[in-house]
């Protein structure tokens, strides 16, 4: 009798980011449908949340529990340093217990938001190096990548990608970015984001008020290269968003504020306080499924977070992107809405309103376009999962050797 394949899932999962958890949900759905015999567990940021929601065993990603808090005191700095050393052995031991490790989607090869090399890039490198050392297939599935200027971060990302046994990307720009870093991407495929594999809710008649607009917000301070003017970027983004929401409420439009991460809550609070209108309310979605219910019930969506936009597009709701990275522009272009992007670092409420009105004039046409593009995305993701099975789940009885990870 064959032994169940041991599959590990790795990443900042269960940590409050709905997009990351949506990618996990999509891969779990694939595993349960195509490989129900697999024994699945996770090494992740929020193990308790992952186990409670998805019903799989999970282990904390970092030994030091204060990993994502800024260390200023000597004791905290020493503990964080010790944690980095301990994590070498913890990660290696976890990887060695698996036949396959999947990193499900996420922007794990980019630094479009503030990121330190000794944070997640270091963790990902430990994973991929351990996989190569022990002959465990590590797959970076439907991931995002982008050019990285910081040399230590770029080096860790480049080596992580090189050491992985399988790579696929959520857009062509991601593959191009890895190629520019010196990674051979000849055999790497591009597929839609994994979240497009999640089922869209069926809404026969929108339950929301007529004319509802969902506005997805974010605790946005720019990216890695914007640290010197992070507060200026945040203030301009927030002020522009407040003026936009106030204008919508002034026209009698109900507005639902959406988030995609627990860290976005202060932005929601600031907008509610500044606008002070009963027409403006905050959604409390705790998953991409919950966000899709909100976007499906809306007339239009205006959002900055990548997976807020995916939820709108997946449900066929016309969307306007407040774009902070090339991945957003690529997503909108793929879905036929490339003309409806607005720069997140230079939010201009007047221009945003003009784009919003232009979008609404074409709403019926764009809903038809989105229906067609969603069918295409579904077919492309079916090919993604077929390729993943071929790469990671060889025929029963086939011996697993370190050379297969090369």
């Amino acid at each position: 009798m064959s032994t169940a394949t041991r599959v590990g899932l790795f990443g900042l999962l269960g940590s409050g980011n709905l997009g990351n958890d949506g990618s996990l949900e999509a891969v779990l759905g694939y595993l349960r449908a195509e490989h129900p015999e697999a024994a699945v567990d996770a090494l992740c940021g929020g193990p308790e949340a992952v186990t409670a929601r998805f019903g799989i065993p999970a282990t904390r990603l970092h030994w030091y529990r204060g990993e994502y808090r800024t260390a200023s005191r000597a004791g905290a700095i020493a503990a964080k340093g010790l944690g980095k050393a301990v994590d070498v052995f913890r990660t290696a031991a976890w990887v060695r217990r698996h036949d396959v490790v999947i990193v499900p989607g996420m922007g794990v090869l980019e630094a479009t938001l503030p990121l330190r090399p000794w944070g997640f890039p270091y963790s990902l490198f430990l994973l991929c190096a351990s996989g190569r050392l022990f002959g465990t297939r590590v797959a970076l599935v439907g991931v995002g990548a982008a050019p990285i200027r910081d040399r230590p971060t770029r080096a860790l990302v480049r080596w992580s990608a090189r050491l992985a046994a399988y790579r696929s990307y959520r857009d062509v720009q991601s593959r191009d970015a890895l190629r520019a870093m010196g990674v051979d991407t000849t055999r790497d495929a591009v597929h839609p984001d994994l979240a497009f594999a999640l089922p869209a809710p069926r809404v026969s008649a929108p339950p929301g008020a007529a004319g509802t607009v969902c506005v997805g917000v974010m605790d946005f301070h720019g990216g890695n290269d914007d640290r010197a003017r992070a507060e200026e970027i945040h203030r301009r983004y927030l002020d522009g968003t407040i003026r936009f929401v106030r204008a919508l409420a002034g026209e009698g439009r109900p507005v639902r504020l959406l988030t995609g991460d627990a860290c976005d809550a202060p932005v929601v609070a600031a907008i509610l306080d500044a606008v002070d209108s009963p027409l403006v309310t905050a959604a409390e979605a705790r998953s991409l499924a919950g966000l899709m219910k909100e976007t499906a019930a809306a007339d239009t969506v205006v959002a900055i977070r990548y997976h807020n936009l995916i939820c709108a597009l997946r449900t066929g709701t016309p969307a306007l992107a407040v774009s902070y990275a090339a991945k957003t522009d690529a997503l909108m272009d793929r879905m036929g809405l490339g003309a409806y992007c607005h720069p997140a670092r230079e939010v201009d409420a007047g221009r945003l309103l003009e784009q919003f009105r232009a979008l609404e004039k074409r709403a019926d046409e764009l809903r038809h376009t989105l229906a067609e593009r969603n069918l295409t995305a579904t077919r492309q993701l079916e090919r993604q999962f077929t390729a993943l099975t071929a790469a990671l789940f060889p025929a029963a009885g086939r011996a697993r050797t370190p050379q297969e990870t090369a």
Side-chain angles (χ1 to χ4, degrees):
M1 185 173 65
S2 61
T3 303
T5 304
R6 300 161 299 176
V7 180
L9 299 170
F10 179 93
L12 295 178
L13 311 166
S15 302
N17 185 287
L18 303 187
N20 291 359
D21 289 357
S23 297
L24 169 61
E25 183 178 354
V27 169
L28 274 175
Y30 150 72
L31 290 172
R32 287 166 175 167
E34 301 298 328
H35 304 282
E37 78 289 347
V40 182
D41 73 317
L43 184 64
C44 58
E48 299 86 359
V50 166
T51 297
R53 180 177 171 195
F54 299 106
I56 61 173
T59 303
R60 187 171 297 279
L61 180 59
H62 301 290
W63 174 80
Y64 178 55
R65 290 177 176 265
E67 172 65 27
Y68 296 107
R69 294 195 296 269
T70 301
S72 55
R73 296 183 179 180
I77 293 172
K80 182 172 282 193
L82 176 61
K84 297 300 178 187
V86 172
D87 285 344
V88 173
F89 301 99
R90 291 178 70 254
T91 303
W94 182 81
V95 169
R96 192 173 188 177
R97 296 196 298 268
H98 296 82
D99 301 293
V100 171
V101 173
I102 297 174
V103 180
M106 305 176 286
V108 296
L109 303 177
E110 64 182 52
T112 53
L113 295 176
L115 183 71
R116 299 295 189 186
W118 54 84
F120 189 77
Y122 172 76
S123 300
L124 185 65
F125 172 74
L126 292 183
L127 171 77
C128 296
S130 298
R132 180 60 65 96
L133 178 64
F134 297 117
T136 299
R137 298 178 187 85
V138 174
L140 309 180
V141 181
V143 298
I148 299 173
R149 294 175 61 182
D150 180 71
R151 288 186 178 182
T153 303
R154 186 171 65 247
L156 287 168
V157 164
R158 179 173 61 247
W159 278 106
S160 296
R162 284 177 173 173
L163 291 169
Y166 175 91
R167 296 179 298 269
S168 66
Y169 311 95
R170 62 190 180 190
D171 52 51
V172 172
Q173 287 85 343
S174 293
R175 184 171 62 185
D176 291 346
L178 260 292
R179 183 183 295 124
M181 290 185 210
V183 178
D184 181 3
T185 62
T186 305
R187 296 185 296 173
D188 299 354
V190 173
H191 301 280
D193 190 272
L194 290 170
F196 280 102
L198 298 175
R202 294 182 179 180
V203 181
S204 55
T212 296
V213 180
C214 283
V215 177
V217 302
M218 180 181 183
D219 187 25
F220 180 64
H221 293 76
N224 246 18
D225 301 330
D226 299 316
R227 292 180 183 273
R229 59 190 194 101
E231 286 308 312
E232 172 194 341
I233 289 172
H234 178 69
R235 175 48 54 189
R236 182 164 185 172
Y237 161 73
L238 183 58
D239 287 349
T241 303
I242 287 171
R243 287 196 294 271
F244 176 70
V245 171
R246 184 181 289 127
L248 291 178
E251 295 175 359
R253 299 292 295 269
V255 177
R256 291 284 281 171
L257 300 178
L258 308 181
T259 61
D261 195 293
C263 68
D264 299 332
V267 177
V268 171
I271 294 172
L272 291 174
D273 182 63
V275 178
D276 191 23
S277 167
L279 290 172
V280 182
T281 56
E284 296 184 0
R286 301 181 184 276
S287 66
L288 289 195
L291 284 175
M292 284 191 203
K293 289 180 180 178
E294 294 284 348
T295 61
D299 280 9
T300 315
V301 174
V302 179
I304 179 171
R305 278 202 178 271
Y306 185 78
H307 282 93
N308 277 190
L309 289 166
I310 285 182
C311 288
L313 301 172
R314 183 73 182 93
T315 55
T317 303
L320 170 57
V322 179
S323 175
Y324 66 86
K327 64 182 180 183
T328 300
D329 299 338
L331 170 67
M332 297 294 283
D333 188 59
R334 176 193 284 269
M335 298 302 289
L337 280 80
Y340 301 101
C341 293
H342 188 91
R345 290 170 177 79
E346 300 176 2
V347 175
D348 181 314
R351 174 59 182 151
L352 191 59
L353 279 166
E354 290 176 6
Q355 290 179 286
F356 171 78
R357 288 170 181 141
L359 176 72
E360 289 210 312
K361 287 180 181 179
R362 295 184 58 204
D364 290 341
E365 173 193 348
L366 293 174
R367 285 181 183 275
H368 180 72
T369 298
L370 288 173
E372 294 178 339
R373 300 296 172 97
N374 273 302
L375 288 174
T376 300
T378 298
R379 289 193 294 267
Q380 291 172 331
L381 280 171
E382 288 172 355
R383 292 196 289 271
Q384 160 72 99
F385 292 133
T386 298
L388 197 58
T389 291
L392 301 184
F393 298 91
R398 179 182 173 190
R400 183 165 60 90
T401 67
Q403 286 73 24
E404 289 180 310
T405 64

